[in-house]
Amino acid sequence: MSVSGGAVGVLARCRELVRPGLVEAVGRLDAWTGEMAAYALGWRDVSGAADPAASEGKGLRQALAVLSAEAVGAEGKVAGPAAVAVELVHAFSLVHDDIMDGDPVRRRRAAVWCSYGVGPAVLAGDALHALAVRSLAEAPGERVSAAVRRLSVALTSLVRGQADDLRFESLPWRGPGAVGPDAYGVMAEQKTGSLLGCAAALGAELGGAPAGTVAAFDGAGRHLGVAFQVVDDLLGVWGDPEVTGKPVHGDLRHRKKTYPVLAALAGGGPAARELAVLLEGAEPLEGAVASRAACLVEEAGGLAAARVQARERLDAARACLAGVRLEAVAVRELEVLVAFLLDRTS
């Protein structure tokens, strides 16, 4: 079986284990808010009917929770409440992100705010957030209070990362106050890595692992989150629209401060200077201009730097778990997911 095929199987197994808990959680909402939540999760269309063509996402966070519990010797089902919680938090963050970024499309269909309106979408996101905390708080076992505290810390970090991401939009491309690759890495660890780290740590926590092992999973997940974001940035410039579901050169067209662009600018040289002029200009980055910008990012070293950063972060994730006593089968499945993160095309 190929790495990608293996990852799909692992993700599907974990999704099947977690799905009943997610359905039960969403079922606690009133009918209208529950309909929006089901739409956000890819279960239903705007009429409330089942939508088999919609995407439920990769399910990476819930899988990390399940696999980390199994890796420390527990049954995957003990991580169910944690997996539900992190998946709901992820869904809530996407609903709100689309509003803040003005993105009309999520996973090849209209974003929640476009289908239901901004106010209702904010409400749906809030409901998903509340459900996440409740689902974890009602889990059995003596580790629950520590797990809820960890989720709360991750939520605070996620908000900080999103705030930095929004703040970066107003900062210059070069000169004093410009955003560099290191600052971007800190932001990505907060915005994306904090929840992946939380997911992995919560599975170990509810699985009864010692504090050092829980911390190791948190660190590994944080590095995985940065790698995931950097690969996402690569796909945002060079990904195949037929696979990603996003327009070609989409991130460049929106002048988003992504890792490959910032790394290209930091390298200096003629290509970096020409790229900066394009990014600072008033001309829309469409068609040939966007293609030229993508070429300049690659010529200035941004593509290569992003690939190196993703690999280094994945190696760092592996290093966090080196020496930790873990179950071999679960570790192999985790490794399949790690390889998939680097090689994914969507």
Side-chain angles (χ1 to χ4, degrees), residues 113-186:
W113 70 271
C114 285
S115 294
Y116 292 92
V118 172
V122 171
L123 179 65
D126 291 344
L128 290 165
H129 180 185
L131 280 179
V133 177
R134 178 179 175 181
S135 297
L136 187 57
E138 293 179 349
E142 60 184 20
R143 298 286 194 100
V144 173
S145 59
V148 172
R149 285 195 298 273
R150 184 174 293 278
L151 180 64
S152 299
V153 171
L155 283 164
T156 303
S157 295
L158 188 155
V159 170
R160 176 183 170 185
Q162 179 64 23
D164 283 345
D165 195 23
L166 289 173
R167 184 174 58 85
F168 287 174
E169 294 178 5
S170 63
L171 297 180
W173 288 102
R174 52 183 171 175
V179 181
D182 290 344
Y184 181 91
V186 173

Side-chain angles (χ1 to χ4, degrees), residues 287-309:
V289 180
S291 296
R292 177 57 181 165
C295 290
L296 290 169
V297 173
E298 183 171 0
E299 186 179 338
L303 174 60
R307 285 175 172 166
V308 168
Q309 175 67 189

